[in-house]
Amino acid sequence: MSYYVYILSNHYNTTLYIGVTNNLVRRVYEHKNHLDPTSFTAKYHVEKLVYYEEYKEPKPAIAREKQLKGKSRKFKNSLVEENNPQWLDLYSSII
């Protein structure tokens, strides 16, 4: 089984959300379709997958999620831009 740390953004790339999951396709689908209408991602329309990392074990993935959440916005933007300079929605590439 794989585990994923992911970053979602809104349409304008002004709001970021960082999460961890063991099923990236399902979890991004849930965000995109606002399955929890009271969630942060639904409230701020954060549904574009702009970055993800894959891990073999859950502990490193959870540690990385916490690390990224503690980083500056500048760091997070740089991370996305190194791998996805146009901030494209990567969802279609994982389904």
Side-chain angles (χ1 to χ4, degrees):
M1 177 178 285
S2 292
Y3 299 86
Y4 302 88
V5 176
Y6 62 95
I7 300 177
L8 299 178
S9 182
N10 64 346
H11 177 73
Y12 301 104
N13 302 324
T14 56
T15 306
L16 297 180
Y17 174 86
I18 298 173
V20 65
T21 184
N22 66 352
N23 187 329
L24 188 59
V25 172
R26 184 203 77 232
R27 190 67 181 119
V28 175
Y29 174 88
E30 291 170 353
H31 289 299
K32 285 182 167 297
N33 291 282
H34 308 289
L35 295 188
D36 178 359
T38 64
S39 71
F40 175 88
T41 56
K43 182 177 180 181
Y44 294 101
H45 305 284
V46 179
E47 54 196 43
K48 182 170 64 165
L49 178 66
V50 293
Y51 179 81
Y52 65 93
E53 299 174 358
E54 184 176 0
Y55 293 85
K56 299 285 186 219
E57 300 291 330
K59 285 185 181 182
I62 293 166
R64 178 65 166 159
E65 177 200 26
K66 290 178 182 179
Q67 179 191 44
L68 289 177
K69 285 183 174 185
K71 296 288 187 181
S72 69
R73 175 60 192 251
K74 183 178 178 181
F75 178 89
K76 294 170 197 174
N77 284 354
S78 294
L79 184 63
V80 172
E81 289 168 1
E82 285 174 20
N83 297 281
N84 184 2
Q86 296 178 331
W87 290 70
L88 300 173
D89 189 348
L90 304 174
Y91 184 66
S92 63
S93 70
I94 64 166
I95 55 173

